[in-house]
Amino acid sequence: MSQVYKIAVVVGSLRKDSVNRKIALALATLAPSNLELKIVEIGDLPLYNEDIDKDAPPAAYTTFRQQLIASDAFLFVTPEYNRSVPGVLKNAIDVGSRPYGKSAWGGGKPAAVVSASPGAVGGFGANHNLRQSMVFLNVPCMQQPEAYMGNFGTFFDAAGTLSEQTKPFLQTFITAYAAWVEQQRTA
Ligand code: FNR
């Protein structure tokens, strides 16, 4: 059997009815069998503060870092807040990046970014702000297909079922992502 890659999925919204979370869950069900997607929760991470990240870091920091280290690749699914990354997601990126020299984001593990919003722009600002941090953290992000998913009000019906119009895009995206992860992890 070919290798199964563990994917840490980080969702940039804490909202109970988050559409981005629904997209992440839909991607998990559409993923090829060589990917195992699991959402890594970020809502209980204390705001990053170097003073509390010394000899005895908060347990939530340690758990989060261990989950990243145990994964083979990352997938971000996020809304855009004020044309940038939501604070909770930036906080998680920062927590994962420390202690200095021991980033839990690893060196060279691949990632991809999906941004989704109710507006037409599809979270382009958040998507690219996130990529900027990933450049510094040496996390190569898949270039194509890009995923700026605008007008997300039609993606799921009231029962939470993914629309047939949206499904092919997510299928194409996750299939390309699986090939990207395989290529990067075997390079
Ligand atoms: C937003 N929203 C938003 N949308 C957008 O397209 N561009 C933006 O810059 C912003 N800015 C912004 C700031 C703040 C503080 C909030 C709370 C919201 C709207 C946002 O896309 C909307 O709340 C989505 O529903 C968030 O996605 P989830 O929670 O459904 O995944």
PDB file of all heavy atoms in Angstrom, residues 13 15 17-21 79-83 116-119 152, ligand 1:
ATOM      1  N   SER A  13     -11.281  30.078  11.573  1.00  0.00           N
ATOM      2  CA  SER A  13     -12.486  30.623  12.205  1.00  0.00           C
ATOM      3  C   SER A  13     -12.877  29.752  13.382  1.00  0.00           C
ATOM      4  O   SER A  13     -12.873  28.525  13.276  1.00  0.00           O
ATOM      5  CB  SER A  13     -13.647  30.667  11.205  1.00  0.00           C
ATOM      6  OG  SER A  13     -14.865  30.993  11.866  1.00  0.00           O
ATOM      7  N   ARG A  15     -15.894  30.152  14.749  1.00  0.00           N
ATOM      8  CA  ARG A  15     -17.356  30.200  14.744  1.00  0.00           C
ATOM      9  C   ARG A  15     -17.945  28.792  14.653  1.00  0.00           C
ATOM     10  O   ARG A  15     -17.500  27.979  13.841  1.00  0.00           O
ATOM     11  CB  ARG A  15     -17.798  31.002  13.528  1.00  0.00           C
ATOM     12  CG  ARG A  15     -18.951  31.957  13.724  1.00  0.00           C
ATOM     13  CD  ARG A  15     -18.952  32.976  12.599  1.00  0.00           C
ATOM     14  NE  ARG A  15     -19.115  32.375  11.281  1.00  0.00           N
ATOM     15  CZ  ARG A  15     -20.275  31.965  10.771  1.00  0.00           C
ATOM     16  NH1 ARG A  15     -21.385  32.076  11.467  1.00  0.00           N
ATOM     17  NH2 ARG A  15     -20.342  31.453   9.547  1.00  0.00           N
ATOM     18  N   ASP A  17     -20.726  27.812  13.374  1.00  0.00           N
ATOM     19  CA  ASP A  17     -21.265  27.502  12.048  1.00  0.00           C
ATOM     20  C   ASP A  17     -20.319  27.919  10.931  1.00  0.00           C
ATOM     21  O   ASP A  17     -20.760  28.192   9.803  1.00  0.00           O
ATOM     22  CB  ASP A  17     -22.621  28.200  11.865  1.00  0.00           C
ATOM     23  CG  ASP A  17     -23.672  27.612  12.789  1.00  0.00           C
ATOM     24  OD1 ASP A  17     -23.625  26.387  13.025  1.00  0.00           O
ATOM     25  OD2 ASP A  17     -24.521  28.371  13.295  1.00  0.00           O
ATOM     26  N   SER A  18     -19.058  27.982  11.224  1.00  0.00           N
ATOM     27  CA  SER A  18     -18.064  28.448  10.245  1.00  0.00           C
ATOM     28  C   SER A  18     -18.168  27.714   8.906  1.00  0.00           C
ATOM     29  O   SER A  18     -18.108  26.474   8.852  1.00  0.00           O
ATOM     30  CB  SER A  18     -16.658  28.248  10.818  1.00  0.00           C
ATOM     31  OG  SER A  18     -15.692  28.332   9.787  1.00  0.00           O
ATOM     32  N   VAL A  19     -18.280  28.492   7.848  1.00  0.00           N
ATOM     33  CA  VAL A  19     -18.289  27.900   6.508  1.00  0.00           C
ATOM     34  C   VAL A  19     -16.898  27.347   6.177  1.00  0.00           C
ATOM     35  O   VAL A  19     -16.764  26.311   5.516  1.00  0.00           O
ATOM     36  CB  VAL A  19     -18.747  28.935   5.459  1.00  0.00           C
ATOM     37  CG1 VAL A  19     -18.647  28.368   4.053  1.00  0.00           C
ATOM     38  CG2 VAL A  19     -20.169  29.400   5.746  1.00  0.00           C
ATOM     39  N   ASN A  20     -15.870  28.016   6.656  1.00  0.00           N
ATOM     40  CA  ASN A  20     -14.511  27.509   6.404  1.00  0.00           C
ATOM     41  C   ASN A  20     -14.310  26.134   7.043  1.00  0.00           C
ATOM     42  O   ASN A  20     -13.670  25.261   6.469  1.00  0.00           O
ATOM     43  CB  ASN A  20     -13.474  28.514   6.895  1.00  0.00           C
ATOM     44  CG  ASN A  20     -13.320  29.677   5.922  1.00  0.00           C
ATOM     45  OD1 ASN A  20     -12.575  29.588   4.957  1.00  0.00           O
ATOM     46  ND2 ASN A  20     -14.072  30.748   6.149  1.00  0.00           N
ATOM     47  N   ARG A  21     -14.868  25.956   8.229  1.00  0.00           N
ATOM     48  CA  ARG A  21     -14.774  24.629   8.860  1.00  0.00           C
ATOM     49  C   ARG A  21     -15.535  23.601   8.037  1.00  0.00           C
ATOM     50  O   ARG A  21     -15.068  22.476   7.841  1.00  0.00           O
ATOM     51  CB  ARG A  21     -15.305  24.682  10.297  1.00  0.00           C
ATOM     52  CG  ARG A  21     -15.283  23.331  11.013  1.00  0.00           C
ATOM     53  CD  ARG A  21     -15.677  23.448  12.477  1.00  0.00           C
ATOM     54  NE  ARG A  21     -14.580  23.928  13.278  1.00  0.00           N
ATOM     55  CZ  ARG A  21     -13.741  23.133  13.976  1.00  0.00           C
ATOM     56  NH1 ARG A  21     -13.913  21.840  13.983  1.00  0.00           N
ATOM     57  NH2 ARG A  21     -12.766  23.648  14.661  1.00  0.00           N
ATOM     58  N   PRO A  79     -11.085  32.215   6.761  1.00  0.00           N
ATOM     59  CA  PRO A  79     -11.725  33.443   6.280  1.00  0.00           C
ATOM     60  C   PRO A  79     -10.696  34.574   6.272  1.00  0.00           C
ATOM     61  O   PRO A  79      -9.550  34.387   6.705  1.00  0.00           O
ATOM     62  CB  PRO A  79     -12.813  33.719   7.314  1.00  0.00           C
ATOM     63  CG  PRO A  79     -12.329  33.098   8.578  1.00  0.00           C
ATOM     64  CD  PRO A  79     -11.425  31.960   8.176  1.00  0.00           C
ATOM     65  N   GLU A  80     -11.125  35.702   5.785  1.00  0.00           N
ATOM     66  CA  GLU A  80     -10.296  36.914   5.793  1.00  0.00           C
ATOM     67  C   GLU A  80     -10.897  37.887   6.798  1.00  0.00           C
ATOM     68  O   GLU A  80     -12.109  38.092   6.807  1.00  0.00           O
ATOM     69  CB  GLU A  80     -10.333  37.535   4.396  1.00  0.00           C
ATOM     70  CG  GLU A  80      -9.665  38.882   4.279  1.00  0.00           C
ATOM     71  CD  GLU A  80      -9.739  39.386   2.843  1.00  0.00           C
ATOM     72  OE1 GLU A  80     -10.754  40.032   2.484  1.00  0.00           O
ATOM     73  OE2 GLU A  80      -8.799  39.116   2.078  1.00  0.00           O
ATOM     74  N   TYR A  81     -10.056  38.420   7.663  1.00  0.00           N
ATOM     75  CA  TYR A  81     -10.495  39.466   8.578  1.00  0.00           C
ATOM     76  C   TYR A  81      -9.701  40.733   8.249  1.00  0.00           C
ATOM     77  O   TYR A  81      -8.465  40.747   8.347  1.00  0.00           O
ATOM     78  CB  TYR A  81     -10.234  39.071  10.041  1.00  0.00           C
ATOM     79  CG  TYR A  81     -11.243  38.111  10.658  1.00  0.00           C
ATOM     80  CD1 TYR A  81     -12.268  37.520   9.913  1.00  0.00           C
ATOM     81  CD2 TYR A  81     -11.173  37.799  12.007  1.00  0.00           C
ATOM     82  CE1 TYR A  81     -13.173  36.645  10.498  1.00  0.00           C
ATOM     83  CE2 TYR A  81     -12.079  36.929  12.607  1.00  0.00           C
ATOM     84  CZ  TYR A  81     -13.080  36.358  11.835  1.00  0.00           C
ATOM     85  OH  TYR A  81     -13.979  35.482  12.427  1.00  0.00           O
ATOM     86  N   ASN A  82     -10.417  41.763   7.869  1.00  0.00           N
ATOM     87  CA  ASN A  82      -9.780  43.049   7.559  1.00  0.00           C
ATOM     88  C   ASN A  82      -8.619  42.889   6.588  1.00  0.00           C
ATOM     89  O   ASN A  82      -7.507  43.386   6.798  1.00  0.00           O
ATOM     90  CB  ASN A  82      -9.353  43.754   8.853  1.00  0.00           C
ATOM     91  CG  ASN A  82     -10.556  44.054   9.729  1.00  0.00           C
ATOM     92  OD1 ASN A  82     -11.508  44.688   9.268  1.00  0.00           O
ATOM     93  ND2 ASN A  82     -10.571  43.557  10.955  1.00  0.00           N
ATOM     94  N   ARG A  83      -8.925  42.128   5.541  1.00  0.00           N
ATOM     95  CA  ARG A  83      -7.999  41.891   4.429  1.00  0.00           C
ATOM     96  C   ARG A  83      -6.729  41.159   4.851  1.00  0.00           C
ATOM     97  O   ARG A  83      -5.707  41.212   4.171  1.00  0.00           O
ATOM     98  CB  ARG A  83      -7.637  43.204   3.713  1.00  0.00           C
ATOM     99  CG  ARG A  83      -8.794  43.847   2.978  1.00  0.00           C
ATOM    100  CD  ARG A  83      -9.079  43.121   1.656  1.00  0.00           C
ATOM    101  NE  ARG A  83     -10.167  43.751   0.914  1.00  0.00           N
ATOM    102  CZ  ARG A  83     -11.434  43.320   0.946  1.00  0.00           C
ATOM    103  NH1 ARG A  83     -11.787  42.276   1.680  1.00  0.00           N
ATOM    104  NH2 ARG A  83     -12.356  43.919   0.232  1.00  0.00           N
ATOM    105  N   ALA A 116     -11.961  31.493   2.129  1.00  0.00           N
ATOM    106  CA  ALA A 116     -13.365  31.575   1.716  1.00  0.00           C
ATOM    107  C   ALA A 116     -14.057  32.691   2.468  1.00  0.00           C
ATOM    108  O   ALA A 116     -13.827  32.885   3.671  1.00  0.00           O
ATOM    109  CB  ALA A 116     -14.064  30.246   1.971  1.00  0.00           C
ATOM    110  N   SER A 117     -14.882  33.428   1.741  1.00  0.00           N
ATOM    111  CA  SER A 117     -15.588  34.541   2.378  1.00  0.00           C
ATOM    112  C   SER A 117     -16.931  34.765   1.698  1.00  0.00           C
ATOM    113  O   SER A 117     -17.155  34.287   0.591  1.00  0.00           O
ATOM    114  CB  SER A 117     -14.750  35.822   2.306  1.00  0.00           C
ATOM    115  OG  SER A 117     -14.907  36.433   1.043  1.00  0.00           O
ATOM    116  N   PRO A 118     -17.822  35.492   2.387  1.00  0.00           N
ATOM    117  CA  PRO A 118     -19.127  35.762   1.776  1.00  0.00           C
ATOM    118  C   PRO A 118     -19.042  36.779   0.642  1.00  0.00           C
ATOM    119  O   PRO A 118     -19.926  36.852  -0.190  1.00  0.00           O
ATOM    120  CB  PRO A 118     -19.948  36.316   2.948  1.00  0.00           C
ATOM    121  CG  PRO A 118     -18.946  36.817   3.935  1.00  0.00           C
ATOM    122  CD  PRO A 118     -17.703  36.009   3.739  1.00  0.00           C
ATOM    123  N   GLY A 119     -17.974  37.548   0.589  1.00  0.00           N
ATOM    124  CA  GLY A 119     -17.812  38.570  -0.453  1.00  0.00           C
ATOM    125  C   GLY A 119     -17.217  37.989  -1.720  1.00  0.00           C
ATOM    126  O   GLY A 119     -16.870  36.807  -1.790  1.00  0.00           O
ATOM    127  N   PHE A 152     -19.574  32.574  -0.560  1.00  0.00           N
ATOM    128  CA  PHE A 152     -19.708  31.218  -0.020  1.00  0.00           C
ATOM    129  C   PHE A 152     -21.107  30.883   0.506  1.00  0.00           C
ATOM    130  O   PHE A 152     -21.358  29.755   0.942  1.00  0.00           O
ATOM    131  CB  PHE A 152     -18.616  30.901   0.986  1.00  0.00           C
ATOM    132  CG  PHE A 152     -18.664  31.585   2.329  1.00  0.00           C
ATOM    133  CD1 PHE A 152     -19.823  32.087   2.880  1.00  0.00           C
ATOM    134  CD2 PHE A 152     -17.489  31.678   3.090  1.00  0.00           C
ATOM    135  CE1 PHE A 152     -19.847  32.673   4.130  1.00  0.00           C
ATOM    136  CE2 PHE A 152     -17.499  32.266   4.345  1.00  0.00           C
ATOM    137  CZ  PHE A 152     -18.690  32.762   4.864  1.00  0.00           C
TER     138      PHE A 152
HETATM  139  C1  FNR B   1     -14.851  39.906   8.589  1.00  0.00           C
HETATM  140  N1  FNR B   1     -15.286  39.494   7.331  1.00  0.00           N
HETATM  141  C2  FNR B   1     -14.535  39.831   6.214  1.00  0.00           C
HETATM  142  N2  FNR B   1     -14.818  39.269   4.984  1.00  0.00           N
HETATM  143  C3  FNR B   1     -14.036  39.543   3.902  1.00  0.00           C
HETATM  144  O1  FNR B   1     -14.298  39.012   2.821  1.00  0.00           O
HETATM  145  N3  FNR B   1     -12.983  40.417   4.022  1.00  0.00           N
HETATM  146  C4  FNR B   1     -12.656  41.010   5.186  1.00  0.00           C
HETATM  147  O2  FNR B   1     -11.685  41.750   5.236  1.00  0.00           O
HETATM  148  C5  FNR B   1     -13.461  40.736   6.340  1.00  0.00           C
HETATM  149  N4  FNR B   1     -13.167  41.289   7.551  1.00  0.00           N
HETATM  150  C6  FNR B   1     -13.773  40.819   8.685  1.00  0.00           C
HETATM  151  C7  FNR B   1     -13.323  41.242   9.942  1.00  0.00           C
HETATM  152  C8  FNR B   1     -13.886  40.715  11.088  1.00  0.00           C
HETATM  153  C9  FNR B   1     -13.353  41.128  12.428  1.00  0.00           C
HETATM  154  C10 FNR B   1     -14.944  39.783  10.995  1.00  0.00           C
HETATM  155  C11 FNR B   1     -15.563  39.179  12.246  1.00  0.00           C
HETATM  156  C12 FNR B   1     -15.429  39.408   9.779  1.00  0.00           C
HETATM  157  C13 FNR B   1     -16.445  38.623   7.189  1.00  0.00           C
HETATM  158  C14 FNR B   1     -16.053  37.148   7.241  1.00  0.00           C
HETATM  159  O3  FNR B   1     -15.664  36.743   5.951  1.00  0.00           O
HETATM  160  C15 FNR B   1     -17.246  36.357   7.722  1.00  0.00           C
HETATM  161  O4  FNR B   1     -17.421  36.608   9.105  1.00  0.00           O
HETATM  162  C16 FNR B   1     -17.149  34.871   7.477  1.00  0.00           C
HETATM  163  O5  FNR B   1     -18.346  34.260   7.856  1.00  0.00           O
HETATM  164  C17 FNR B   1     -16.078  34.206   8.224  1.00  0.00           C
HETATM  165  O6  FNR B   1     -15.980  32.844   7.823  1.00  0.00           O
HETATM  166  P1  FNR B   1     -16.583  31.635   8.678  1.00  0.00           P
HETATM  167  O7  FNR B   1     -16.563  32.035  10.127  1.00  0.00           O
HETATM  168  O8  FNR B   1     -17.967  31.393   8.195  1.00  0.00           O
HETATM  169  O9  FNR B   1     -15.674  30.498   8.373  1.00  0.00           O
END
